[in-house]
Short mmCIF file of all heavy atoms in Angstrom, two decimals:
data_model
loop_
_atom_site.label_atom_id
_atom_site.label_comp_id
_atom_site.label_asym_id
_atom_site.label_seq_id
_atom_site.Cartn_x
_atom_site.Cartn_y
_atom_site.Cartn_z
N LEU A 1 0.85 -1.18 0.00
CA LEU A 1 0.00 0.00 0.00
C LEU A 1 0.89 1.23 0.00
O LEU A 1 1.80 1.35 0.83
CB LEU A 1 -0.91 0.04 1.23
CG LEU A 1 -1.99 -1.01 1.37
CD1 LEU A 1 -2.81 -0.76 2.64
CD2 LEU A 1 -2.91 -1.03 0.16
N ASN A 2 0.64 2.14 -0.93
CA ASN A 2 1.37 3.40 -0.99
C ASN A 2 0.55 4.47 -0.29
O ASN A 2 -0.46 4.94 -0.83
CB ASN A 2 1.64 3.80 -2.44
CG ASN A 2 2.45 2.77 -3.19
OD1 ASN A 2 3.03 1.86 -2.59
ND2 ASN A 2 2.50 2.89 -4.49
N LEU A 3 0.94 4.83 0.91
CA LEU A 3 0.21 5.82 1.69
C LEU A 3 0.79 7.20 1.39
O LEU A 3 1.86 7.57 1.87
CB LEU A 3 0.30 5.51 3.18
CG LEU A 3 -0.07 4.09 3.63
CD1 LEU A 3 -0.11 4.00 5.14
CD2 LEU A 3 -1.39 3.63 3.02
N ASN A 4 0.09 7.95 0.56
CA ASN A 4 0.49 9.32 0.22
C ASN A 4 -0.03 10.23 1.32
O ASN A 4 -1.17 10.70 1.26
CB ASN A 4 -0.08 9.72 -1.14
CG ASN A 4 0.53 8.94 -2.28
OD1 ASN A 4 1.37 9.44 -3.02
ND2 ASN A 4 0.10 7.69 -2.43
N LEU A 5 0.76 10.47 2.32
CA LEU A 5 0.29 11.14 3.53
C LEU A 5 -0.04 12.60 3.31
O LEU A 5 -0.91 13.15 3.99
CB LEU A 5 1.33 11.00 4.64
CG LEU A 5 1.71 9.56 5.01
CD1 LEU A 5 2.76 9.56 6.12
CD2 LEU A 5 0.49 8.74 5.41
N THR A 6 0.66 13.24 2.39
CA THR A 6 0.44 14.66 2.11
C THR A 6 0.93 14.96 0.71
O THR A 6 1.80 14.27 0.18
CB THR A 6 1.20 15.55 3.13
OG1 THR A 6 0.97 16.92 2.83
CG2 THR A 6 2.69 15.27 3.10
N ARG A 7 0.38 15.99 0.09
CA ARG A 7 0.92 16.49 -1.17
C ARG A 7 1.83 17.70 -0.94
O ARG A 7 2.40 18.22 -1.87
CB ARG A 7 -0.23 16.90 -2.11
CG ARG A 7 -1.03 15.75 -2.64
CD ARG A 7 -0.22 14.91 -3.61
NE ARG A 7 -1.07 14.00 -4.36
CZ ARG A 7 -0.62 13.09 -5.22
NH1 ARG A 7 0.66 12.98 -5.44
NH2 ARG A 7 -1.45 12.29 -5.85
N ARG A 8 1.96 18.13 0.31
CA ARG A 8 2.83 19.26 0.59
C ARG A 8 4.29 18.84 0.47
O ARG A 8 4.64 17.69 0.75
CB ARG A 8 2.56 19.79 2.00
CG ARG A 8 1.22 20.49 2.14
CD ARG A 8 0.96 20.91 3.56
NE ARG A 8 0.69 19.76 4.42
CZ ARG A 8 1.07 19.68 5.69
NH1 ARG A 8 1.78 20.67 6.23
NH2 ARG A 8 0.77 18.63 6.41
N CYS A 9 5.13 19.76 0.05
CA CYS A 9 6.55 19.48 -0.06
C CYS A 9 7.32 20.79 0.15
O CYS A 9 6.83 21.87 -0.17
CB CYS A 9 6.89 18.87 -1.42
SG CYS A 9 8.59 18.24 -1.52
N ASN A 10 8.54 20.66 0.66
CA ASN A 10 9.38 21.83 0.91
C ASN A 10 10.40 22.04 -0.19
O ASN A 10 11.27 22.90 -0.07
CB ASN A 10 10.07 21.70 2.27
CG ASN A 10 10.89 20.41 2.38
OD1 ASN A 10 10.69 19.46 1.64
ND2 ASN A 10 11.80 20.38 3.33
N LEU A 11 10.34 21.25 -1.28
CA LEU A 11 11.24 21.43 -2.42
C LEU A 11 10.42 21.67 -3.69
O LEU A 11 9.19 21.47 -3.69
CB LEU A 11 12.15 20.21 -2.59
CG LEU A 11 13.07 19.87 -1.42
CD1 LEU A 11 13.95 18.68 -1.77
CD2 LEU A 11 13.94 21.06 -1.02
N LYS A 12 11.10 22.07 -4.76
CA LYS A 12 10.46 22.34 -6.04
C LYS A 12 11.24 21.63 -7.15
O LYS A 12 11.90 22.25 -7.98
CB LYS A 12 10.39 23.85 -6.30
CG LYS A 12 9.59 24.61 -5.26
CD LYS A 12 9.51 26.09 -5.58
CE LYS A 12 8.68 26.83 -4.55
NZ LYS A 12 8.57 28.29 -4.86
N CYS A 13 11.14 20.33 -7.15
CA CYS A 13 11.96 19.52 -8.04
C CYS A 13 11.51 19.66 -9.49
O CYS A 13 10.33 19.60 -9.80
CB CYS A 13 11.89 18.05 -7.62
SG CYS A 13 12.31 17.81 -5.87
N ARG A 14 12.50 19.82 -10.37
CA ARG A 14 12.22 20.10 -11.78
C ARG A 14 11.42 18.99 -12.44
O ARG A 14 10.57 19.24 -13.30
CB ARG A 14 13.53 20.31 -12.53
CG ARG A 14 14.24 21.59 -12.16
CD ARG A 14 15.64 21.66 -12.72
NE ARG A 14 15.69 21.51 -14.18
CZ ARG A 14 16.79 21.57 -14.89
NH1 ARG A 14 17.95 21.78 -14.28
NH2 ARG A 14 16.76 21.44 -16.19
N MET A 15 11.68 17.73 -12.07
CA MET A 15 11.07 16.61 -12.78
C MET A 15 9.82 16.08 -12.07
O MET A 15 9.24 15.10 -12.51
CB MET A 15 12.07 15.47 -12.95
CG MET A 15 12.52 14.82 -11.66
SD MET A 15 13.56 15.92 -10.67
CE MET A 15 14.12 14.84 -9.38
N CYS A 16 9.40 16.74 -11.01
CA CYS A 16 8.25 16.25 -10.25
C CYS A 16 6.96 16.42 -11.05
O CYS A 16 6.64 17.52 -11.51
CB CYS A 16 8.15 17.00 -8.93
SG CYS A 16 6.76 16.44 -7.92
N GLU A 17 6.22 15.34 -11.18
CA GLU A 17 4.98 15.37 -11.95
C GLU A 17 3.86 16.11 -11.23
O GLU A 17 2.91 16.59 -11.85
CB GLU A 17 4.51 13.95 -12.25
CG GLU A 17 5.44 13.17 -13.16
CD GLU A 17 4.95 11.76 -13.42
OE1 GLU A 17 3.93 11.39 -12.83
OE2 GLU A 17 5.59 11.04 -14.20
N GLN A 18 3.93 16.18 -9.92
CA GLN A 18 2.80 16.70 -9.16
C GLN A 18 2.68 18.22 -9.24
O GLN A 18 1.59 18.76 -9.14
CB GLN A 18 2.92 16.27 -7.70
CG GLN A 18 2.90 14.76 -7.53
CD GLN A 18 3.03 14.35 -6.08
OE1 GLN A 18 2.06 14.41 -5.35
NE2 GLN A 18 4.22 13.96 -5.68
N HIS A 19 3.81 18.89 -9.37
CA HIS A 19 3.80 20.35 -9.42
C HIS A 19 2.98 20.96 -8.28
O HIS A 19 2.13 21.81 -8.48
CB HIS A 19 3.29 20.85 -10.79
CG HIS A 19 4.30 20.68 -11.88
ND1 HIS A 19 4.96 21.72 -12.47
CD2 HIS A 19 4.78 19.56 -12.47
CE1 HIS A 19 5.80 21.26 -13.38
NE2 HIS A 19 5.72 19.96 -13.40
N ARG A 20 3.25 20.47 -7.10
CA ARG A 20 2.50 20.95 -5.93
C ARG A 20 2.75 22.42 -5.67
O ARG A 20 1.96 23.09 -5.03
CB ARG A 20 2.94 20.14 -4.70
CG ARG A 20 2.60 18.67 -4.78
CD ARG A 20 3.16 17.94 -3.57
NE ARG A 20 4.60 17.91 -3.58
CZ ARG A 20 5.31 16.97 -4.19
NH1 ARG A 20 4.70 16.01 -4.84
NH2 ARG A 20 6.62 17.00 -4.16
N HIS A 21 3.90 22.91 -6.16
CA HIS A 21 4.31 24.27 -5.82
C HIS A 21 3.71 25.31 -6.74
O HIS A 21 3.97 26.49 -6.59
CB HIS A 21 5.84 24.36 -5.91
CG HIS A 21 6.38 23.94 -7.24
ND1 HIS A 21 6.50 22.61 -7.59
CD2 HIS A 21 6.82 24.65 -8.29
CE1 HIS A 21 7.01 22.53 -8.82
NE2 HIS A 21 7.21 23.76 -9.25
N GLN A 22 2.89 24.89 -7.71
CA GLN A 22 2.30 25.84 -8.64
C GLN A 22 0.84 26.10 -8.25
O GLN A 22 -0.04 25.31 -8.54
CB GLN A 22 2.37 25.32 -10.08
CG GLN A 22 3.80 25.22 -10.60
CD GLN A 22 3.86 24.86 -12.06
OE1 GLN A 22 2.83 24.75 -12.71
NE2 GLN A 22 5.06 24.68 -12.58
N PRO A 23 0.57 27.20 -7.58
CA PRO A 23 -0.78 27.43 -7.06
C PRO A 23 -1.84 27.55 -8.14
O PRO A 23 -3.02 27.35 -7.87
CB PRO A 23 -0.63 28.75 -6.28
CG PRO A 23 0.58 29.41 -6.85
CD PRO A 23 1.50 28.29 -7.25
N ARG A 24 -1.45 27.87 -9.38
CA ARG A 24 -2.44 28.02 -10.43
C ARG A 24 -2.66 26.73 -11.22
O ARG A 24 -3.42 26.71 -12.18
CB ARG A 24 -2.03 29.13 -11.39
CG ARG A 24 -2.01 30.51 -10.71
CD ARG A 24 -1.72 31.62 -11.71
NE ARG A 24 -1.71 32.91 -11.07
CZ ARG A 24 -1.51 34.06 -11.70
NH1 ARG A 24 -1.29 34.05 -13.01
NH2 ARG A 24 -1.51 35.20 -11.04
N SER A 25 -1.97 25.69 -10.84
CA SER A 25 -2.14 24.41 -11.55
C SER A 25 -3.57 23.93 -11.42
O SER A 25 -4.23 24.08 -10.39
CB SER A 25 -1.20 23.36 -10.97
OG SER A 25 -1.52 22.09 -11.47
N SER A 26 -4.07 23.30 -12.48
CA SER A 26 -5.44 22.78 -12.45
C SER A 26 -5.61 21.73 -11.37
O SER A 26 -6.71 21.45 -10.92
CB SER A 26 -5.80 22.18 -13.82
OG SER A 26 -4.94 21.10 -14.12
N THR A 27 -4.50 21.10 -10.95
CA THR A 27 -4.59 20.05 -9.96
C THR A 27 -5.00 20.57 -8.58
O THR A 27 -5.40 19.78 -7.74
CB THR A 27 -3.25 19.31 -9.83
OG1 THR A 27 -2.24 20.26 -9.50
CG2 THR A 27 -2.87 18.62 -11.12
N THR A 28 -4.87 21.86 -8.35
CA THR A 28 -5.21 22.38 -7.03
C THR A 28 -6.71 22.28 -6.75
O THR A 28 -7.13 22.43 -5.62
CB THR A 28 -4.77 23.85 -6.88
OG1 THR A 28 -5.35 24.63 -7.94
CG2 THR A 28 -3.26 23.96 -6.95
N THR A 29 -7.52 22.04 -7.79
CA THR A 29 -8.95 21.86 -7.57
C THR A 29 -9.28 20.45 -7.10
O THR A 29 -10.41 20.19 -6.71
CB THR A 29 -9.73 22.16 -8.85
OG1 THR A 29 -9.34 21.22 -9.87
CG2 THR A 29 -9.46 23.57 -9.34
N LEU A 30 -8.33 19.54 -7.15
CA LEU A 30 -8.57 18.16 -6.73
C LEU A 30 -8.44 18.06 -5.22
O LEU A 30 -7.54 18.63 -4.61
CB LEU A 30 -7.58 17.22 -7.42
CG LEU A 30 -7.64 17.23 -8.94
CD1 LEU A 30 -6.50 16.41 -9.53
CD2 LEU A 30 -8.99 16.68 -9.42
N SER A 31 -9.33 17.29 -4.61
CA SER A 31 -9.44 17.26 -3.16
C SER A 31 -8.16 16.79 -2.49
O SER A 31 -7.82 17.23 -1.39
CB SER A 31 -10.60 16.36 -2.74
OG SER A 31 -10.41 15.02 -3.19
N TRP A 32 -7.42 15.89 -3.13
CA TRP A 32 -6.23 15.33 -2.47
C TRP A 32 -5.05 16.29 -2.46
O TRP A 32 -4.02 16.01 -1.88
CB TRP A 32 -5.85 14.00 -3.08
CG TRP A 32 -5.77 13.94 -4.57
CD1 TRP A 32 -4.71 14.30 -5.35
CD2 TRP A 32 -6.79 13.47 -5.46
NE1 TRP A 32 -5.00 14.08 -6.67
CE2 TRP A 32 -6.28 13.57 -6.78
CE3 TRP A 32 -8.08 12.98 -5.29
CZ2 TRP A 32 -7.00 13.20 -7.90
CZ3 TRP A 32 -8.81 12.60 -6.41
CH2 TRP A 32 -8.28 12.72 -7.70
N TYR A 33 -5.17 17.44 -3.11
CA TYR A 33 -4.12 18.46 -3.05
C TYR A 33 -4.39 19.48 -1.94
O TYR A 33 -3.57 20.36 -1.72
CB TYR A 33 -4.00 19.19 -4.39
CG TYR A 33 -3.22 18.43 -5.42
CD1 TYR A 33 -3.83 17.47 -6.21
CD2 TYR A 33 -1.86 18.67 -5.61
CE1 TYR A 33 -3.12 16.77 -7.16
CE2 TYR A 33 -1.14 17.97 -6.55
CZ TYR A 33 -1.77 17.02 -7.33
OH TYR A 33 -1.06 16.32 -8.26
N ASP A 34 -5.51 19.39 -1.28
CA ASP A 34 -5.90 20.37 -0.27
C ASP A 34 -5.35 19.95 1.09
O ASP A 34 -5.79 18.93 1.65
CB ASP A 34 -7.43 20.47 -0.22
CG ASP A 34 -7.92 21.52 0.74
OD1 ASP A 34 -7.09 22.14 1.46
OD2 ASP A 34 -9.15 21.74 0.80
N PRO A 35 -4.40 20.68 1.68
CA PRO A 35 -3.84 20.29 2.97
C PRO A 35 -4.89 20.17 4.07
O PRO A 35 -4.72 19.40 5.02
CB PRO A 35 -2.84 21.40 3.28
CG PRO A 35 -2.50 22.01 1.96
CD PRO A 35 -3.75 21.89 1.13
N ALA A 36 -5.99 20.92 3.94
CA ALA A 36 -7.02 20.86 4.95
C ALA A 36 -7.76 19.53 4.95
O ALA A 36 -8.48 19.21 5.91
CB ALA A 36 -8.02 22.01 4.75
N ARG A 37 -7.62 18.76 3.87
CA ARG A 37 -8.33 17.48 3.77
C ARG A 37 -7.43 16.28 4.05
O ARG A 37 -7.84 15.14 3.82
CB ARG A 37 -8.95 17.34 2.38
CG ARG A 37 -9.95 18.43 2.04
CD ARG A 37 -10.76 18.07 0.81
NE ARG A 37 -11.58 19.17 0.37
CZ ARG A 37 -12.50 19.10 -0.59
NH1 ARG A 37 -12.70 17.94 -1.21
NH2 ARG A 37 -13.21 20.14 -0.95
N GLU A 38 -6.23 16.50 4.54
CA GLU A 38 -5.38 15.37 4.90
C GLU A 38 -6.05 14.54 5.99
O GLU A 38 -6.65 15.08 6.92
CB GLU A 38 -4.02 15.86 5.38
CG GLU A 38 -3.17 16.47 4.27
CD GLU A 38 -1.88 17.06 4.76
OE1 GLU A 38 -1.61 16.99 5.98
OE2 GLU A 38 -1.15 17.63 3.92
N LEU A 39 -5.93 13.23 5.87
CA LEU A 39 -6.62 12.34 6.80
C LEU A 39 -6.10 12.50 8.22
O LEU A 39 -4.90 12.66 8.44
CB LEU A 39 -6.42 10.89 6.36
CG LEU A 39 -7.15 10.42 5.11
CD1 LEU A 39 -6.83 8.96 4.85
CD2 LEU A 39 -8.64 10.64 5.20
N PRO A 40 -6.99 12.42 9.19
CA PRO A 40 -6.53 12.36 10.58
C PRO A 40 -5.91 11.00 10.87
O PRO A 40 -6.08 10.04 10.12
CB PRO A 40 -7.82 12.56 11.37
CG PRO A 40 -8.90 12.03 10.48
CD PRO A 40 -8.46 12.36 9.08
N LEU A 41 -5.18 10.91 11.94
CA LEU A 41 -4.52 9.66 12.31
C LEU A 41 -5.52 8.52 12.43
O LEU A 41 -5.24 7.38 12.02
CB LEU A 41 -3.78 9.86 13.64
CG LEU A 41 -3.09 8.62 14.21
CD1 LEU A 41 -1.99 8.14 13.28
CD2 LEU A 41 -2.54 8.93 15.60
N ALA A 42 -6.70 8.80 12.97
CA ALA A 42 -7.69 7.74 13.20
C ALA A 42 -8.09 7.04 11.91
O ALA A 42 -8.33 5.83 11.90
CB ALA A 42 -8.93 8.32 13.89
#
């Protein structure tokens, strides 16, 4: 099981497919990119 715990990252890697660091990316509308929706421990 690949547990993607967060989409947040402190780097901006050139080859990264996720482009988490681009606030205008269309992916920011997807729920799993929203830090407020990260799962609780439970």
Side-chain angles (χ1 to χ4, degrees):
L1 293 182
N2 300 347
L3 309 188
N4 292 257
L5 302 180
T6 180
R7 290 291 193 184
R8 290 176 289 145
C9 190
N10 56 341
L11 300 182
K12 299 182 179 181
C13 306
R14 290 170 57 178
M15 66 290 188
C16 181
E17 294 179 357
Q18 299 180 79
H19 285 251
R20 295 176 293 272
H21 55 282
Q22 294 187 4
R24 295 185 180 181
S25 169
S26 62
T27 57
T28 56
T29 63
L30 300 172
S31 60
W32 49 84
Y33 280 85
D34 184 355
R37 300 193 188 188
E38 290 175 1
L39 289 180
L41 177 63

